[in-house]
């Protein structure tokens, strides 16, 4: 497999190249670039199977570089010390990522996945949408990807009223009385959504605190959301919930 390392840090490129040579001879590093401008030129020249791409680079960052391609016919591994919230968006992405400093075990796992993915040549129709999603989320989650049977849909987090667990599935209640069902568990979304806007108040509910209309203290406590849906508060979460509002 041919690859290009695109990273403005010389030491980062050198370490990654050395790890490839010592542990994964199946990977051939054909070129290196220090920014997205060089990276774009080298990708067009060498047509690699995949690239290692830093996000934050001078002159032209990783997202800007990728936006210049009409068709992305190579796999992407982000090598980054990325914002912690935004990293969680990768869990639902068609990409891989390696968090700096790069761990050999994680690198090996990524290379194994890439070999399988390149062999099967999956469709990449949704790459542009997901790249835009990740770029928007650089300073905190504003959009998330909801997995569907056909791929995924991108939601603005401001449109989410609440999430409700439905067995191993999660039901999204959106504004305008829309709903969506995804096959991922509610715990996955708790990790992704910004704590300042969303709160897990029960094992079955995550709510958008901006969409709360009423608090009811009867029967242990519950909230009425903007869409009229009632969400219950667990005993364990009640103190945290009340403290949040009394300290505002």
């Amino acid at each position: 497999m041919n690859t290009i390392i695109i990273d403005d840090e010389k030491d980062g490129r050198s370490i990654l190249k050395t790890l490839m040579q010592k542990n994964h001879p199946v990977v051939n590093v054909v070129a290196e670039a220090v920014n997205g401008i060089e990276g774009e030129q080298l990708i067009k020249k060498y047509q690699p199977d995949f690239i290692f791409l830093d996000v934050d680079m001078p002159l032209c960052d990783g997202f800007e570089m990728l936006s210049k391609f009409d068709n992305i016919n190579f796999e992407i591994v982000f090598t980054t010390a990325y914002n912690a919230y935004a990293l969680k968006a990768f869990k639902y992405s068609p990409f891989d990522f390696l968090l700096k400093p790069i761990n050999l075990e994680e690198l090996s796992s990524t290379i194994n996945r890439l070999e399988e993915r390149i062999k099967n040549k999956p469709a990449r129709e949704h790459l542009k949408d997901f790249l835009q999603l990740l770029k928007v989320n650089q300073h905190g989650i504003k959009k998330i990807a909801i997995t569907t049977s056909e791929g995924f849909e991108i939601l603005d987090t401001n449109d989410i009223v609440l999430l409700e667990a439905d067995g191993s599935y999660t039901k999204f209640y959106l504004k305008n009385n829309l709903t969506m069902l995804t096959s991922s568990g509610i715990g996955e979304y708790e990790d992704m959504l910004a704590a300042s806007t969303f709160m897990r108040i029960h094992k079955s509910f995550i709510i958008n605190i901006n969409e709360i209309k009423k608090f009811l203290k009867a029967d242990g406590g519950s909230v009425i959301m903007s869409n009229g849906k009632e969400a219950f508060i667990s005993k364990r979460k009640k103190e945290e919930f009340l403290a949040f509002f009394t300290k505002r």
Side-chain angles (χ1 to χ4, degrees), residues 145-162:
I146 306 301
T147 55
T148 68
S149 59
E150 298 176 345
F152 61 83
E153 292 192 30
I154 296 173
L155 297 181
D156 189 317
T157 55
N158 290 327
D159 292 334
I160 300 171
V161 178
L162 76 156

Side-chain angles (χ1 to χ4, degrees), residues 5-192:
I5 301 173
I6 306 170
D7 191 330
D8 63 313
E9 297 179 359
K10 183 178 180 180
D11 288 346
R13 298 195 307 273
S14 178
I15 290 170
L16 189 52
K17 186 173 182 178
T18 299
L19 288 173
M20 289 292 100
Q21 292 172 337
K22 289 184 176 181
N23 300 280
H24 295 284
V26 68
V27 178
N28 179 32
V29 179
V30 296
E32 299 177 33
V34 300
N35 57 51
I37 296 173
E38 289 185 9
E40 179 191 3
Q41 295 170 346
L42 291 172
I43 289 170
K44 291 177 178 178
K45 178 179 179 180
Y46 289 101
Q47 298 292 307
D49 296 301
F50 73 97
I51 62 172
F52 289 106
L53 179 64
D54 190 16
V55 174
D56 187 18
M57 297 181 290
L59 299 180
C60 179
D61 67 27
F63 291 126
E64 290 173 324
M65 185 202 79
L66 291 171
S67 70
K68 298 178 184 297
F69 289 88
D70 293 327
N71 295 299
I72 298 175
N73 58 0
F74 48 88
E75 300 293 338
I76 304 162
V77 179
F78 288 103
T79 55
T80 177
Y82 210 66
N83 174 290
Y85 277 127
L87 265 181
K88 291 168 183 173
F90 283 92
K91 293 169 68 174
Y92 295 93
S93 78
F95 313 105
D96 281 287
F97 74 89
L98 293 169
L99 188 60
K100 295 178 180 178
I102 292 172
N103 175 282
L104 179 57
E105 184 177 341
E106 292 177 355
L107 174 62
S108 297
S109 177
T110 293
I111 296 301
N112 290 336
R113 286 196 300 272
L114 282 172
E115 285 190 85
E116 188 65 27
R117 196 180 299 167
I118 290 169
K119 186 193 307 179
N120 294 329
K121 297 182 180 179
R124 298 184 178 91
E125 292 87 350
H126 300 298
L127 284 181
K128 286 284 186 180
D129 287 341
F130 215 102
L131 286 167
Q132 182 60 32
L133 162 67
L134 295 178
K135 187 172 183 178
V136 167
N137 285 339
Q138 286 184 73
H139 303 293
I141 295 295
K142 300 179 182 68
K143 295 179 181 292
I144 62 172
I146 306 301
T147 55
T148 68
S149 59
E150 298 176 345
F152 61 83
E153 292 192 30
I154 296 173
L155 297 181
D156 189 317
T157 55
N158 290 327
D159 292 334
I160 300 171
V161 178
L162 76 156
L163 292 68
E164 181 178 15
D166 185 0
S168 60
Y169 292 79
T170 302
K171 188 173 185 179
F172 279 73
Y173 292 85
L174 310 175
K175 292 179 180 178
N176 300 320
N177 293 317
L178 298 174
T179 60
M180 287 186 62
L181 188 67
T182 176
S183 58
S184 297
I186 196 169
E188 299 285 355
Y189 296 107
E190 181 182 14
D191 288 341
M192 292 178 65

Side-chain angles (χ1 to χ4, degrees), residues 179-223:
T179 60
M180 287 186 62
L181 188 67
T182 176
S183 58
S184 297
I186 196 169
E188 299 285 355
Y189 296 107
E190 181 182 14
D191 288 341
M192 292 178 65
L193 294 167
S196 60
T197 305
F198 290 85
M199 182 181 293
R200 182 82 176 263
I201 62 170
H202 189 278
K203 66 179 183 180
S204 296
F205 293 105
I206 296 174
I207 61 170
N208 183 339
I209 59 176
N210 294 321
E211 296 298 319
I212 298 172
K213 291 302 180 184
K214 186 185 298 184
F215 166 70
L216 303 175
K217 62 182 181 180
D219 299 323
S222 64
V223 290

